[in-house]
Amino acid sequence: QLALGRLYYETDQLDQAVEAYQAVPRTSTNFDVALYEIAWVYIRMGDSTRAERALEVLSVAAPESRYIPDGKLLRGNLLLRNGRFDDANRIFREVAREFGPVRRELDEMMSSHDDPQAYFRSLVRENMESFDANAFLPPLAQRWASLEGDMDRALSVLSDLSQARRLVRETSELVERLEAALAQPNRVAIFADLRLQAERSTALRNRVAHARRDLLRVYERRHPGQAQDLADTLSQIRRLERFFNGMPVDEGGMTDFDDEVLGRYRRLGRELGRLEVELQGMEARIVAMERYLQDTEEQRDAEGVAAIRNELAGHRAAVDEYREMIRQLRIALEASRLQVFTRLTRIESQLDQRDQEIQGIVQERVTEIQTQLRTESERIVGYRAALEGLETETEEVVGAVTYHNFRQVQHRFYDLVLRADVGRIDVAW
């Protein structure tokens, strides 16, 4: 309907244009666009009264519309044309009062930097992970400014670059985790199928140990005299019985043993999660304090503000250090969790041979994985070098586009205030 209305307007079929615009329902997200454009149709038809009413409906029905500033100025000029000078003057004063402070704030932001373009490049560099051009505008300017054209494309490129950086970082961390797992002494635990074979082997060893213990007891009862010669050995065996009795002898026992030990790791993981939440709270308090200092900087002693900022910078560095420690602990915890597996020291020849076969397979797999990890690590180095070059180019391009967009917003508010002032002069005439 909007497209039809515009086509009818351009081809001078004004009645059909009005019908098309009026067909846009009030619930449509484009209702404000239809109201603003239909006002221009009425002006072209010479009906300034209906145009003024459409703009009045716009200000009531869509007070957050980006067409409100231009709609108010247009309505003021229509009221002026209809001889309603007091109403026109009131609207022009409203526009000047509402947007004048924003214009001054934008001018002050621009004049406060010797090299505005370098300032915007630094903003892009410091906020490359989550850059929002509107975030650097005054709140009221954010409400009425719109990002279009080059700015949309620049933000899209920045988003792609941020995603690439994140993927490289995640890949690097994955390589680090795999290397940590491969560095553990019991690497058989990494592979589920080989782990199962090793668990069965260990269960058999435990059953053999139980059988030998029982045989020694029988021997001790039947040959009490000879058992005296083995007193030291039997004493050591009894001390180890508690250990033997607790060892799993089948797959069910292995699973229970794993669950018990994994439960401890889960508790450690929850504790690390709690510490991460505490760090997030500390970081939020630091950000709040920095924002408070920024808002009240003019009311405070410059030396005191600098001291507080230095202290906050120290706290932020400590938070980053703690977060890295937690990350390293998580990697170590993950690698240790894979090692929930126990072997007996006494080895039977048949099981020994089987274990050697398993270890041979483990070595083959580990060698293959390590080769792949080395290849990926070399690629990551290349990716990082390429990203560094792209980051420099992106900083230049997006910084320049952001600066240009800021100047456009600044010019828009200058134009709004200027037109309001011109309207008041017209009222005076």
Side-chain angles (χ1 to χ4, degrees), residues 178-231:
L178 287 169
E179 288 176 342
L182 293 176
Q184 297 297 315
N186 194 19
R187 295 182 295 190
V188 67
I190 300 172
F191 309 102
D193 56 337
L194 298 179
R195 176 189 173 105
L196 179 61
Q197 296 293 327
E199 284 180 348
R200 289 173 177 170
S201 176
T202 299
L204 287 171
R205 294 174 191 278
N206 295 341
R207 291 169 67 181
V208 168
H210 279 265
R212 285 181 172 171
R213 179 202 61 191
D214 294 339
L215 287 173
L216 283 171
R217 285 178 176 174
V218 171
Y219 181 83
E220 183 181 8
R221 287 196 300 269
R222 292 186 178 181
H223 306 282
Q226 297 180 14
Q228 291 295 326
D229 299 333
L230 301 174

Side-chain angles (χ1 to χ4, degrees), residues 12 30 126 133 158 206 248 293 334 341 367 376 378 416 429:
D12 252 348
N30 291 310
E126 294 167 5
L158 201 61
N206 295 341
L293 282 177
E334 181 179 357
F341 186 72
T367 302
E376 290 302 322
E378 292 171 359
L416 288 172
W429 280 108

Side-chain angles (χ1 to χ4, degrees), residues 291-390:
R291 185 166 299 172
Y292 174 74
L293 282 177
Q294 183 177 354
D295 293 341
T296 61
E297 187 170 3
E298 297 178 356
Q299 308 168 14
R300 295 178 176 273
D301 175 57
E303 186 176 345
V305 170
I308 295 174
R309 287 190 187 281
N310 288 335
E311 186 174 352
L312 289 176
H315 288 312
R316 185 179 289 279
V319 167
D320 292 338
E321 184 179 349
Y322 291 144
R323 181 168 282 116
E324 175 62 18
M325 289 172 61
I326 290 176
R327 190 183 75 83
Q328 293 292 341
L329 284 172
R330 283 199 178 280
I331 291 175
L333 195 63
E334 181 179 357
S336 299
R337 188 182 289 116
L338 292 172
Q339 303 301 314
V340 181
F341 186 72
T342 306
R343 299 182 60 186
L344 295 178
T345 54
R346 302 198 64 178
I347 302 172
E348 297 295 329
S349 59
Q350 187 176 5
L351 293 176
D352 238 357
Q353 182 180 356
R354 179 59 179 163
D355 282 348
Q356 289 175 2
E357 294 174 1
I358 293 174
Q359 290 300 328
I361 298 172
V362 168
Q363 186 58 44
E364 290 179 6
R365 294 185 183 180
V366 167
T367 302
E368 182 180 357
I369 293 174
Q370 287 174 335
T371 302
Q372 293 176 352
L373 288 178
R374 282 194 296 271
T375 302
E376 290 302 322
S377 296
E378 292 171 359
R379 289 177 179 172
I380 288 173
V381 173
Y383 296 154
R384 284 177 175 159
L387 284 174
E388 286 177 2
L390 288 173

Side-chain angles (χ1 to χ4, degrees), residues 134-194:
N134 268 343
F136 309 108
L137 296 172
L140 190 57
Q142 294 178 26
R143 178 180 174 186
W144 304 117
S146 60
L147 302 178
E148 299 175 352
D150 288 343
M151 195 66 221
D152 274 342
R153 289 190 289 275
L155 291 178
S156 176
V157 169
L158 201 61
S159 175
D160 291 343
L161 180 62
S162 176
Q163 183 183 27
R165 291 178 61 185
R166 178 175 53 80
L167 291 174
V168 169
R169 187 168 58 250
E170 289 177 356
T171 304
S172 179
E173 185 172 340
L174 180 59
V175 169
E176 186 179 355
R177 290 165 58 194
L178 287 169
E179 288 176 342
L182 293 176
Q184 297 297 315
N186 194 19
R187 295 182 295 190
V188 67
I190 300 172
F191 309 102
D193 56 337
L194 298 179

Side-chain angles (χ1 to χ4, degrees), residues 27-42:
T27 55
S28 170
T29 55
N30 291 310
F31 183 62
D32 60 331
V33 186
L35 286 173
Y36 181 71
E37 294 186 7
I38 201 174
W40 282 105
V41 177
Y42 288 138

